[in-house]
Amino acid sequence: MSDVPLSLRSPNVYALVVACTLLTAALSFWGALSLGSVAFVILMVVVALTGIPHGAVDHVVAADLYGLTSSWSDQAKFYGVYLALMAAYGVLWLISPVVSLGLFLVLTMYHFGQADLAYWNVPSPWHPLLYASRGLLLLGLPIVAFPEVVDPIFAAIADVQVSDWPGVTTASTLLLGGLVAQHALSLGLLSQVGTASGKDVGRELFNTAVLAVLLITAHPLVGFAVYFGLWHSLGHMMEILRFFQRHGRTATFGYFYRKAALFTLISFIGLGGLYLINEAFGAQDQMIALLFILISVLTLPHMLVVEAMYQRERPETAPAAG
């Protein structure tokens, strides 16, 4: 076996992820995963198993990136900045939920796109366009396909009604097609300025079709859970293992979960509390809203650590034509 850790593009891993995605889409199409309670449980389980752990080793990644030691001063620097960013975003949610929701959507589009397509090595200033295009596909499809499901969640988060957005209810088919088309076009155009091969372009066009089928047919929470758990979080965990290997660390899932154990356990306790509250009061939309707010607060510092990690390998200018 190779000493290089797996990635989401490793044949066996990729085949399993695609198979699970298409199976979920098929079951959803036939109504087997349409119940809200089932969707909520799936979301909670996926967030617990891969979603939370994939960001629970930021302290280890930051230590390698910035040369931090285990000294009290270095640890205080990292956790001080990390917690301050979370606190600032939490305060922003209290002050302006609408602005906070908008910021979360923008950050999420970039972050999801980066995790999926950073391997293309698209140089500045083009890479944000590629990432945003992927993120727009991932967030836009379930919103347009299921506004009646997203409405109560966004209303609980920030009193926002997505069904009032232009075209969501009056031209949904056109919007869905446009979301898929804009990403396919972005893949074709921006592959010319990066290191993507023809095989990479073909794979990502296929991924676009697979994810579109999932997000248009599955309950939004189920679709989000499958993408977030298998495509984003699992893929990111394997990229972190490759990062660990480059920095002389052990590149195994066992090592990863040991390093993520403390913060994952804390998150498990929080998720368990949310589940018990939901069971006791039945306020599912409010609990989902709170879960997404907590994810958003964690996303900001996590995204900055991930951005720093990818900056180490991204070319700064477009390659010369030749």
Side-chain angles (χ1 to χ4, degrees):
M1 293 181 61
S2 171
D3 292 334
V4 178
L6 297 172
S7 78
L8 192 61
R9 299 175 298 281
S10 300
N12 291 340
V13 177
Y14 180 65
L16 179 61
V17 169
V18 169
C20 289
T21 302
L22 293 176
L23 176 62
T24 302
L27 291 174
S28 298
F29 180 78
W30 292 107
L33 295 177
S34 61
L35 297 178
S37 58
V38 173
F40 182 71
V41 170
I42 291 175
L43 174 64
M44 295 285 282
V45 169
V46 168
V47 168
L49 291 180
T50 58
I52 294 298
H54 95 276
V57 294
D58 285 351
H59 58 299
V60 183
V61 175
D64 289 342
L65 286 172
Y66 304 115
L68 301 178
T69 68
S70 58
S71 67
W72 283 103
S73 61
D74 279 359
Q75 294 301 301
K77 291 176 185 176
F78 172 76
Y79 289 110
V81 173
Y82 206 93
L83 294 174
L85 288 170
M86 291 173 58
Y89 199 7
V91 170
L92 183 60
W93 273 106
L94 294 174
I95 296 173
S96 180
V98 174
V99 172
S100 299
L101 175 61
L103 178 60
F104 175 52
L105 294 177
V106 171
L107 291 177
T108 301
M109 285 193 295
Y110 181 89
H111 183 55
F112 282 177
Q114 180 183 54
D116 287 0
L117 296 169
Y119 78 97
W120 278 31
N121 290 322
V122 173
S124 300
W126 304 109
H127 63 275
L129 298 178
L130 180 65
Y131 302 162
S133 173
R134 179 60 151 252
L136 183 61
L137 173 86
L138 295 169
L139 298 188
L141 289 179
I143 289 175
V144 176
F146 298 95
E148 73 283 357
V149 177
V150 178
D151 260 344
I153 298 174
F154 274 33
I157 293 175
D159 196 24
V160 170
Q161 296 286 332
V162 300
S163 57
D164 293 337
W165 293 359
V168 170
T169 56
T170 59
S172 58
T173 301
L174 183 63
L175 278 180
L176 292 172
L179 288 167
V180 175
Q182 63 83 27
H183 188 51
L185 182 62
S186 296
L187 290 173
L189 292 176
L190 294 176
S191 65
Q192 305 302 310
V193 297
T195 61
S197 65
K199 180 180 178 181
D200 294 332
V201 176
R203 177 174 53 241
E204 293 304 338
L205 288 173
F206 176 71
N207 290 347
T208 299
V210 170
L211 291 169
V213 169
L214 170 72
L215 297 173
I216 291 174
T217 59
H219 186 289
L221 296 183
V222 174
F224 176 80
V226 170
Y227 171 76
F228 186 61
L230 294 181
W231 293 79
H232 177 74
S233 299
L234 180 61
H236 184 69
M237 288 168 68
M238 290 186 286
E239 291 303 318
I240 292 295
L241 291 181
R242 299 171 78 87
F243 175 83
F244 283 170
Q245 184 188 60
R246 291 194 297 271
H247 287 79
R249 293 184 180 271
T250 303
T252 66
F253 278 101
Y255 177 83
F256 185 101
Y257 274 106
R258 286 196 298 274
K259 290 297 182 181
L262 176 60
F263 296 107
T264 301
L265 177 60
I266 293 173
S267 300
F268 280 176
I269 295 172
L271 288 172
L274 285 176
Y275 182 77
L276 292 176
I277 293 172
N278 177 67
E279 289 296 299
F281 298 102
Q284 183 167 300
D285 290 334
Q286 286 72 21
M287 290 304 100
I288 294 172
L290 180 57
L291 176 61
F292 275 87
I293 290 173
L294 291 175
I295 290 174
S296 75
V297 170
L298 290 168
T299 295
L300 178 58
H302 168 66
M303 193 188 84
L304 294 177
V305 172
V306 173
E307 175 68 14
M309 183 184 76
Y310 282 120
Q311 281 283 3
R312 295 289 180 93
E313 299 178 358
R314 179 187 301 131
E316 292 304 318
T317 58

